[in-house]
Amino acid sequence: MALDVELFRGEARQLVHTEPLIALLKPAFEAETAPFGGRPRFVLMLRNDPGPDTYRGDLHLTNLRADFGYIHVAIRMEGRVVHQKPYSVNGLVGPILARLAREIAPEERHWAFRIAGLPSPEDLPEDASEGGTSAQRLPPVVDGTDDIDISRSTRLAFGIRPAAEPQIPLLDLAEYGVELADTKAPVTVLLGTGVRRRLMEMELSTEIEEGGFLIGRAFRRTDAPKLHAVIVDEVLPAEHSGASLTHFTFTGDSFGAMNRTLGDRQLVGWYHTHLFQTERTIGLSRTDIDLHRDTFRRPWQVAALINITARRRILTCYASSDDWMAPCPIRNLDDDADERRSTRPTLGHH
C-alpha cells in the first residue's frame, strides 16, 4: 500500500504539502545507500504501537496518527539488506518535515502531519500493525495477590518493620585511575572484568526490548561521601519479563529469580535496550524514569541503557539526581591488566 505524508499549517490545519512517504525518507538514508551504488528498494512497516504525538524543535509539529508511532525501515540493494532498524515516526519524519515547514513558512510555529492511507482506529483489530503483528512477550499471569496494611501490623499474625540499611563502605576512585575532577555525577560506574564485553556482545533481540539486572557492590566515595560508586561484576538477564518494541516490564518472578543469585552481592541497577532513535538529550523514556524511581530507589542504583543501532551498541548509564536522571561516567576496568588500575580511565558513554 502506498502511503503519503500530509503536512498541515497553523492551528486551522491547512493542508500545504503532500508527498509519498518513501520519497520523503530516501534523502535521509543516502549515507547508508551511497556506498553500494545501485538503486535502493525500501520496505517500510508501520507498527500500531502508540508513540509520541509531538515533535518539538524550533517549531511545534503534531503527529495526527500517533497510534502508529513506530516504523521499521529495511533497505535492500543488489539482493541483500544493507540497513534495517526500527525508528519512532516522530524521530525519523519530524526533522525532515520541520525543515520543509521552515521553507514553506518560516514565521509559522504550529504544524501538524499525518501518514495518510492508514486504517482508522475503529477498523484495527487488537494488537494489529501495518503488515503484521507487533512482536511482544507477555509477562506471566499473576495467580493471586493480597494487600497488607502495614499501619495495622501490630494486629497481624506477623510483624513488619523496615530492614536496616547496610553500611556502605568507602572506595577511593583514584586507586582505579579515575580523575576525581571528572566525576561530579551522583554515581560513578565501574565495569568489572568482562562486563562491558558481555553487554556489547550478548544476544539481544532486534524485535522487542530486552533487559535485566546489574549485580555488584556499592560504595561511598572517600573524597565525597555523599556521592557513590558501583562496581558491576555480573549482568543477569531478567526471567519471566514482558516486552514489546517499545516497553520492557519486570515481574515479581523476575526479582525472585534474581535474588536467588545475589549471595553477598547487591543489586546495583538494571539495564534494558532501545531499538529506535531517541528524540531527547536523555535516552530514557518517561516510563523508564518512572520504573527506576519506583523500583530502584537506592541512591547508588543505576539505569543502564543499550541503544542498538545498525552498526553498534551504545551504552549509557543514569542515576537519580533531584527530580531528574543524571548521566553517569563509566570506567571499564578491562582497560588495564592489573586488578587495581592507576592509569587514566576511559570515562564517558561507551
Side-chain angles (χ1 to χ4, degrees), residues 173-174 177-185 188 221 223 329 344 347:
L173 288 179
V178 178
E179 294 192 5
L180 303 180
D182 294 340
T183 55
K184 299 301 182 184
T188 299
R221 288 172 44 177
D223 63 305
R344 182 180 178 85
L347 282 177

Side-chain angles (χ1 to χ4, degrees), residues 19-343:
E19 187 171 349
L21 176 59
I22 290 181
L24 190 76
L25 294 181
K26 279 185 177 180
F29 290 94
E30 287 182 352
E32 284 76 13
T33 58
F36 299 94
R39 184 178 178 181
R41 177 175 176 264
F42 283 72
V43 179
L44 308 179
M45 184 174 70
L46 280 141
R47 294 180 179 270
N48 183 217
D49 289 314
D53 63 359
T54 304
Y55 172 83
R56 287 185 175 89
D58 58 345
L59 52 79
H60 189 280
L61 184 64
T62 301
N63 182 359
L64 302 179
R65 288 304 306 269
D67 53 324
F68 282 85
Y70 297 89
I71 182 171
H72 187 277
V73 179
I75 306 174
R76 299 184 65 88
M77 298 186 71
E78 299 178 352
R80 64 191 182 101
V81 176
V82 299
H83 177 86
Q84 62 175 340
K85 182 182 175 183
Y87 298 84
S88 70
V89 170
N90 278 16
L92 183 59
V93 177
I96 302 172
L97 291 179
R99 288 194 294 270
L100 179 60
R102 286 191 290 269
E103 294 174 2
I104 295 173
E107 73 285 355
E108 182 64 66
R109 290 293 174 266
H110 295 280
W111 297 81
F113 76 95
R114 73 176 177 187
I115 298 178
L118 297 174
S120 66
E122 295 78 14
D123 295 333
L124 288 170
E126 188 175 358
D127 296 328
S129 65
E130 183 72 8
T133 304
S134 296
Q136 61 177 321
R137 180 177 63 236
L138 297 177
V141 177
V142 177
D143 189 36
T145 63
D146 198 1
D147 294 326
I148 299 175
D149 183 357
I150 62 174
S151 66
R152 300 175 56 251
S153 62
T154 56
R155 284 172 279 175
L156 296 174
F158 54 89
I160 300 175
R161 65 177 183 275
E165 288 286 348
Q167 180 66 32
I168 303 297
L170 294 171
L171 180 73
D172 185 357
L173 288 179
E175 294 187 17
Y176 289 83
V178 178
E179 294 192 5
L180 303 180
D182 294 340
T183 55
K184 299 301 182 184
V187 182
T188 299
V189 179
L190 308 178
L191 301 180
T193 303
V195 170
R196 183 177 183 275
R197 188 180 307 110
R198 168 83 164 137
L199 290 169
M200 293 297 101
E201 298 178 2
M202 66 191 299
E203 184 176 348
L204 293 171
S205 173
T206 58
E207 295 285 331
I208 59 175
E209 290 189 359
E210 299 278 13
F213 304 101
L214 303 177
I215 309 300
R217 293 159 288 161
F219 301 89
R220 293 176 295 135
R221 288 172 44 177
T222 54
D223 63 305
K226 291 185 179 180
L227 302 179
H228 294 88
V230 295
I231 297 178
V232 182
D233 56 35
E234 185 178 354
V235 177
L236 187 66
E239 301 177 15
H240 316 294
S241 60
S244 69
L245 175 72
T246 59
H247 297 288
F248 178 82
T249 306
F250 290 110
T251 65
D253 289 336
S254 301
F255 282 90
M258 178 273 300
N259 281 325
R260 290 191 289 272
T261 72
L262 271 182
D264 59 354
R265 299 174 300 173
Q266 295 163 295
L267 174 61
V268 297
W270 64 294
Y271 74 91
H272 78 297
T273 60
H274 273 187
L275 307 178
F276 54 91
Q277 289 182 330
T278 55
E279 300 173 34
R280 305 187 304 169
T281 302
I282 185 171
L284 298 177
S285 69
R286 183 74 255 177
T287 301
D288 298 335
I289 295 172
D290 290 342
L291 187 156
H292 184 84
R293 290 184 170 277
D294 291 343
T295 308
F296 299 86
R297 299 184 179 184
R298 300 292 188 270
W300 38 264
Q301 288 179 318
V302 298
L305 175 64
I306 304 173
N307 274 102
I308 300 179
T309 72
R311 296 183 178 87
R312 59 177 180 153
R313 298 178 183 182
I314 302 172
L315 173 65
T316 52
C317 289
Y318 302 92
S320 293
S321 176
D322 299 326
D323 59 348
W324 195 233
M325 299 289 288
C328 300
I330 301 171
R331 169 67 158 98
N332 182 17
L333 298 185
D334 279 339
D335 281 354
D336 309 298
D338 297 333
E339 183 180 359
R340 290 276 177 127
R341 279 77 177 177
S342 59
T343 59

